[in-house]
Amino acid sequence: MWNKIGLIGAMAEEIEKIEQGLEDVVVAEKAGIRFQTGRFRGKSVVLCKSGVGKVNAAVCTQLLIDSFGVDAIIFTGVAGALDPSLDIGDIVISTECQQHDMDASPLGFPRGTIPFAETSVFRADAALVALAVQASERLEQGHTVQGRVLSGDQFIADRDTVRLLHEQLGGACTEMEGSAVAQVCAMNGVPYVVIRSMSDKADGSANVNFAEFAAASADRSFRIVEHMVASL
């Protein structure tokens, strides 16, 4: 179905295990981003660390499409839970993504709406979502939820903001890259999915939770991606 898959993580911890499994690697650097083309579990992939934030993620995604010819993108990593039913280690598979820090409300646009754009919510590819859910449930990666991933250039650590993002924007989790990947993919007609493992509850306890749980959460996401790629 897909000939070459782009695999993105924002941080080194989110891609290092994939990196260890790459074979026949060719490295190229563009815009300060290191792209590794090779084979992973027998499939052609391009792996990269985008860096943190929406601009980094958008640049990385566009380069994967234009310079490396990927025809699908999987973003993997950790996030903060917004859905109160989620706990640390649980998995969110994106059904769609939206920017929570896009706010032109003084001009009459609802929060999260990109002014004058046809859409502000970018749907993930149904086949990739199904494959991710199947992999997560088969691997028994804790509780798996399909839902809206919210992104913004902010590390959310306030309980009132958590409640607002969940209740008003319907977010299952919050992070800092997924909606940028989603929008660029939509603009280019490239399928995508975001897979996030909860490393904290975005509730002010991240200074305690994040360092302790980020590595384990990233490992959960890696195993899902590994199973997905092997199953393609």
Side-chain angles (χ1 to χ4, degrees), residues 14 54 77-83 86 92 97-101 111 147-158 161-166 169-179 194 196-203 206 210:
E14 296 171 331
K54 293 185 297 178
V78 300
L82 296 174
D83 185 334
L86 290 168
V92 173
C97 293
Q98 184 178 18
Q99 298 179 64
H100 68 74
D101 62 347
R111 180 174 179 172
R148 179 177 294 182
V149 173
L150 297 181
S151 309
D153 289 323
Q154 305 165 359
F155 193 99
I156 304 299
D158 176 76
T161 304
V162 167
R163 185 175 63 255
L164 182 150
L165 293 180
H166 178 60
L169 293 181
C173 69
T174 180
E175 36 86 297
M176 301 174 74
E177 297 85 24
S179 66
V194 174
R196 291 291 191 176
S197 179
M198 303 303 101
S199 61
D200 63 271
K201 301 194 75 171
D203 61 358
F210 192 80

Side-chain angles (χ1 to χ4, degrees), residues 50-62:
S50 65
V52 174
K54 293 185 297 178
V55 173
N56 283 328
V59 170
C60 182
T61 303
Q62 193 66 57

